[in-house]
Amino acid sequence: MSDIPGKSIVIGKGPEDLMDVSYKLFKHQKELLACKDDMVYMRAGRGSGKSFIASLIAVLALLKGQRVLIMAQDYRALTEVIMAECIQRLYEILKPNQFEVHRVSMKITYGKTGVIYFSSYSNMDSVRGFSKIQLSILDEVCLAPPNLFEVLAYCQRDLDEDPRIVMCSTPRPANWVTSFVKDRNIRVITAKTSDNKKIKPAEIEL
């Protein structure tokens, strides 16, 4: 069981290959998890559990056999944060021999169709090679180039259902994402570092 406090989500009680695991989520994490909008933006302070919920959303899509793309600012952010979080979720939910981590090609596979690709904003050209991406998770999206969604459009074609995009970022000064979200009336979910009661006030001030 995760030590993240708040509302609970139970995984298992279904397919035999899933472990029986329960996560306690913050209100903003539960809101993002329940959101079915084609595009949503979470603006959350450090330590508020942004990477945790992003990894959980990605893994749940993987377990459904979906094709997922996760992007972050650079290789280090991918391998040390969001990819590591996804692997941790999988070890919590599945048995180790039920998924495969491909560290060289930066992907995780499950079953016949489930895959999570990892790519950075610093290597946008590589993204054009992906196809039929059903879910894109954009970590620290404010650090991405403004042509991000033009490139993503190539990856999300020829789908039976509309693709989903989940954007995440720590609070930053006004930038191209600010106007993009406002112009398209995209749902914004906010959270503060202080929403995580496990973080001491002295740590927040650092």
Side-chain angles (χ1 to χ4, degrees), residues 32 38-44 50 54 121 135-142 148-149 152 164-170 176-177 180-181 184 186-189:
L32 183 62
D38 292 343
M39 191 174 291
V40 61
Y41 178 38
M42 171 174 276
R43 187 172 62 242
K50 174 171 52 69
Y121 304 134
L135 170 65
S136 297
I137 295 178
L138 311 175
D139 192 28
E140 295 299 344
V141 66
C142 295
L148 171 64
F149 294 102
L152 281 182
R164 293 192 64 228
I165 296 176
V166 176
M167 300 179 286
C168 301
S169 180
T170 49
W176 73 269
V177 176
F180 180 89
V181 168
R184 290 159 179 77
I186 294 170
R187 181 177 178 180
V188 179
I189 298 171

Side-chain angles (χ1 to χ4, degrees), residues 172-179:
R172 296 179 183 275
N175 52 74
W176 73 269
V177 176
T178 307
S179 56

